[in-house]
Amino acid sequence: MGIAVQLTTILVACSFIAGCALNEAAPSQPMAAQQIASEGANKVLDKSQASAASGVKALAASAVPDAKACKDSDYVFSKKDIDALILNAFNEARGESNAGILAVLGVTMARVGSACYPDTVHGVVYQRKQFSWTWQRGTPRTLSAAKAIEPKTYAKVKTLVENYIAQGAKPNGSLFYHTKDVSPSWSRSASIERTHVTGSHIFYDHRRC
């Protein structure tokens, strides 16, 4: 019995020693392998984050009925935005060339991106006392009214706006404009900088916005 206990004790001791030796002898993971594993984990994380970001954008677009996300831009147009953009272009620049209409659209989007103005197209267009057609009598204030007045011009403007949105709805670096036949006092302000002339409009930017 005593021999058996001693033998058992020796075997346990040997196992313990052998186990420690194996643990000490087992090499730690090489630095290169650790780096590869770390890079792999980071790539998986990056893909997961990108997938999550895409999901958030998709959710934002789907949360707004009839919303359209413009290419190369984070702005998502609601139906109200699109209608406002069409009406503003129709009333402000329907007698202009395509370039002239696009220049007015560019001002609208420049205001959306400016800290000095509302951050939605609808908010910019209907901001108080900014675009005269929104308060003057006799101007078409609905799409059906605009279409009834000049159906061909309305179709042209509508197509231009839709293509403009599809191609990114990029601002043009100007926040203001007026026709060549007027000279408003604000255009002579020290903070106002003339940027370009397109068609019958002169365009300006604001140095503080």
Side-chain angles (χ1 to χ4, degrees), residues 130-163:
Q130 293 301 307
F131 296 102
S132 59
W133 69 268
T134 60
W135 78 83
Q136 291 179 347
R137 293 182 178 181
T139 56
R141 301 186 189 183
T142 65
L143 297 182
S144 57
K147 186 176 182 179
I149 292 172
E150 296 182 33
K152 289 184 179 179
T153 303
Y154 168 79
K156 170 188 172 181
V157 171
K158 183 174 181 291
T159 299
L160 276 174
V161 169
E162 290 172 345
N163 289 339

Side-chain angles (χ1 to χ4, degrees), residues 67-177:
K68 290 186 179 180
C70 58
K71 182 180 178 183
D72 299 328
S73 172
D74 290 332
Y75 189 83
V76 178
F77 286 81
S78 68
K79 186 178 186 305
K80 284 172 59 177
D81 288 332
I82 297 171
D83 290 354
L85 205 58
I86 293 172
L87 278 172
N88 202 44
F90 182 87
N91 282 295
E92 292 285 312
R94 67 178 179 270
E96 298 292 311
S97 65
N98 289 1
I101 295 172
L102 290 171
V104 168
L105 292 173
V107 168
T108 309
M109 292 310 299
R111 289 191 177 193
V112 172
S114 170
C116 298
Y117 291 91
D119 58 3
T120 67
V121 171
H122 187 270
V124 163
V125 171
Y126 289 100
Q127 186 178 15
R128 187 174 181 274
K129 296 294 184 179
Q130 293 301 307
F131 296 102
S132 59
W133 69 268
T134 60
W135 78 83
Q136 291 179 347
R137 293 182 178 181
T139 56
R141 301 186 189 183
T142 65
L143 297 182
S144 57
K147 186 176 182 179
I149 292 172
E150 296 182 33
K152 289 184 179 179
T153 303
Y154 168 79
K156 170 188 172 181
V157 171
K158 183 174 181 291
T159 299
L160 276 174
V161 169
E162 290 172 345
N163 289 339
Y164 175 71
I165 292 173
Q167 293 170 9
K170 296 179 180 178
N172 62 5
S174 301
L175 292 172
F176 312 95
Y177 61 85

